[in-house]
Amino acid sequence: MSSSHHARRQQALMKQCTALAVAAPQVVAHRVSRMALAGPVLSNRDRREFQRMFTEKSSAFVESWMAMWMEWARTSWTMAAGAFTGGPWTAARWAENMSAASVAVAARGLAPVHRRATANSKRLGALKG
């Protein structure tokens, strides 16, 4: 992987982290406020929203771990194959590949959480009351 490609992937990961850092507190604030205002008797709308929240968190967690595991496995096999076919590995080459693999695993794992949080931020921001 070229260093410019690696730098672009790092930048994309940082943008994803920044968007998540903005969206997650907005979603949490909306939902906590809604919980506080709901009181002991939930409306159907609140019940659906809270159920959705728990379902989304569970599925995002599973998707995130599976995506990271799959990326780690793919990267491990690619690096192992490269070690056998790509000539001698230097410490610098190994470090560069490990850095790229770390970024790839983190990006894959963050994607499901980012996707849901940003979508919820847009959706909940649009709702009134």
Side-chain angles (χ1 to χ4, degrees):
M1 172 181 300
S2 72
S3 54
S4 63
H5 180 70
H6 181 57
R8 282 192 306 275
R9 288 184 80 173
Q10 284 178 317
Q11 283 182 320
L13 178 59
M14 290 308 298
K15 283 178 68 175
Q16 195 177 30
C17 288
T18 301
L20 183 58
V22 170
Q26 291 173 344
V27 172
V28 169
H30 179 88
R31 286 180 167 162
V32 168
S33 296
R34 196 139 168 199
M35 286 177 190
L37 294 172
V41 180
L42 299 178
S43 68
N44 285 336
R45 181 175 159 198
D46 285 336
R47 187 175 288 110
R48 282 191 309 270
E49 182 62 31
F50 298 153
Q51 181 60 45
R52 179 181 187 154
M53 175 179 62
F54 291 114
T55 302
E56 282 181 341
K57 288 186 182 312
S58 304
S59 59
F61 176 81
V62 170
E63 285 178 40
S64 179
W65 278 100
M66 289 300 298
M68 287 189 296
W69 186 87
M70 294 295 289
E71 185 63 27
W72 171 82
R74 187 195 65 73
T75 301
S76 295
W77 281 108
T78 301
M79 288 177 69
F84 289 111
T85 61
W89 277 60
T90 64
R93 184 174 169 206
W94 180 259
E96 183 180 321
N97 283 323
M98 289 303 292
S99 176
S102 298
V103 169
V105 169
R108 296 283 184 186
L110 195 59
V113 177
H114 170 268
R115 185 172 48 251
R116 282 184 178 82
T118 55
N120 281 333
S121 179
K122 290 175 187 168
R123 180 178 62 81
L124 294 172
L127 295 177
K128 300 296 176 212

